[in-house]
Amino acid sequence: MKPQRLIKSGHPPSRVASRRLALRAALASAGTLSLAGCDRLSNSEGFVDVLKSAQHLSRAAHGLVAGRKAMAQEFDRADVAAHFRGNGTLMPADADYRALLQGGFKDWKLEVGGLVETPRAFTLAELRAMPSRTQITRHDCVEGWSSIGQWKGVPLAQLLAQVKPLGNAKFVVFRCADSMDGPSLDGRDSRYYESVDLDEAYHAQTILAYELNDAPLPVTNGAPLRARIERQLGYKHAKYLMKLELVENFSSIRDGQGGYWEDNGYEWYAGI
């Protein structure tokens, strides 16, 4: 069997080099800390500080050098890993997700609402019937590993065109099925969530993927649907999607930082 390609060199876009060096330095300082969501490096103050400093440099560089429409590097079919690594949640424990999985996701729907003219709910069959995009890209994780996969899905722009965002909508929030912290005594929601701005949401390579390497998306990689935000680090690529919500800001969502890991110290912008 062809071994998994964990990319350590080769095909490196020059615009991500300084970002990846900063992340490697953070990993070295974090030592042998284990992870559990992407995964638990947010517990390392040094690691989070590096992410914070790298974020501002990376975002400024993207704007000045590459621009907001720049494309992430795409690869050849020969570069695709034989097995694309799963990490973070590998099987949601939530009862509603388990029920949907047992039914083959026939009753699953992706709700799209918030600041839109026409809220919608899309079945998996409806998403598969829409114009699709296939792309071979590299997934870069804050843990320090990378892997290449072929993804197929519907461009997020297709869904936004149907729901028609209102003028004050600025962000898309991805709400997921997997609870990260287990049952909470105070009823606090710990399900994974993430967000991007509308520039990223409309980007050509931002897709909602339902296939990986010519097969239905595996549970370990986010079935039935996951986000692919190809110009940002892996924790932005929300898995087990259940709902998209368009908002003006994050002030009323959890701790107001725009994502589960952001609420735990990571920076919101994770460009590479």
Side-chain angles (χ1 to χ4, degrees):
M1 179 179 293
K2 180 182 178 182
Q4 180 180 4
R5 292 182 179 227
L6 297 182
I7 306 303
K8 297 181 180 179
S9 63
H11 307 294
S14 59
R15 66 187 177 87
V16 309
S18 61
R19 175 72 168 180
R20 292 178 62 78
L21 286 173
L23 291 172
R24 290 191 182 109
L27 287 164
S29 67
T32 58
L33 286 173
S34 63
L35 304 176
C38 197
D39 276 319
R40 292 290 177 187
L41 279 180
S42 65
N43 294 330
S44 167
E45 183 177 350
F47 183 81
V48 171
D49 286 345
V50 170
L51 279 183
K52 288 181 177 180
S53 63
Q55 171 196 230
H56 302 301
L57 173 62
S58 181
R59 193 172 192 183
H62 284 188
L64 292 174
V65 179
R68 294 293 280 162
K69 294 184 179 181
M71 301 286 279
Q73 186 176 15
E74 297 193 15
F75 296 82
D76 297 326
R77 192 67 176 86
D79 296 314
V80 172
H83 172 72
F84 191 92
R85 177 174 176 174
N87 76 316
T89 301
L90 301 179
M91 169 62 80
D94 304 74
D96 54 350
Y97 179 85
R98 293 292 183 95
L100 290 168
L101 174 61
Q102 187 173 4
F105 297 112
K106 292 180 181 178
D107 295 326
W108 174 91
K109 290 184 179 182
L110 179 70
E111 298 179 24
V112 185
L115 298 177
V116 300
E117 290 184 17
T118 312
R120 292 281 308 274
F122 300 92
T123 66
L124 193 56
E126 288 173 329
L127 295 176
R128 286 180 170 274
M130 293 181 187
S132 65
R133 177 181 171 86
T134 300
Q135 56 200 31
I136 300 175
T137 54
R138 185 181 61 216
H139 183 97
D140 293 311
C141 183
V142 296
E143 292 175 300
W145 60 268
S146 298
S147 190
I148 293 174
Q150 177 178 286
W151 306 93
K152 180 179 179 180
V154 56
L156 180 51
Q158 295 272 351
L159 274 64
L160 297 179
Q162 296 192 44
V163 300
K164 301 177 182 177
L166 299 177
N168 56 335
K170 296 180 179 179
F171 304 96
V172 177
V173 178
F174 304 97
R175 296 190 177 272
C176 307
D178 53 326
S179 293
M180 299 293 291
D181 301 328
S184 175
L185 296 178
D186 61 5
R188 179 178 171 83
D189 183 10
S190 74
R191 291 194 174 197
Y192 200 86
Y193 81 105
E194 255 303 339
S195 61
V196 295
D197 62 22
L198 289 187
D199 279 346
E200 205 74 57
Y202 280 108
H203 189 269
Q205 291 173 309
T206 296
I207 67 173
L208 305 182
Y210 46 73
E211 287 186 11
L212 170 60
N213 296 345
D214 295 318
L217 190 65
V219 170
T220 55
N221 299 113
L225 194 72
R226 71 172 295 163
R228 292 300 306 172
I229 315 297
E230 301 297 355
R231 303 185 302 172
Q232 298 205 36
L233 289 168
Y235 66 88
K236 301 295 289 188
H237 301 222
K239 301 193 295 185
Y240 313 112
L241 292 179
M242 299 293 286
K243 182 178 181 179
L244 308 185
E245 181 182 4
L246 277 81
V247 302
E248 185 173 7
N249 56 61
F250 309 128
S251 60
S252 62
I253 304 175
R254 310 269 185 93
D255 292 340
Q257 302 303 307
Y260 174 83
W261 284 113
E262 289 85 336
D263 288 341
N264 284 275
Y266 280 25
E267 285 301 313
W268 177 77
Y269 184 72
I272 52 176

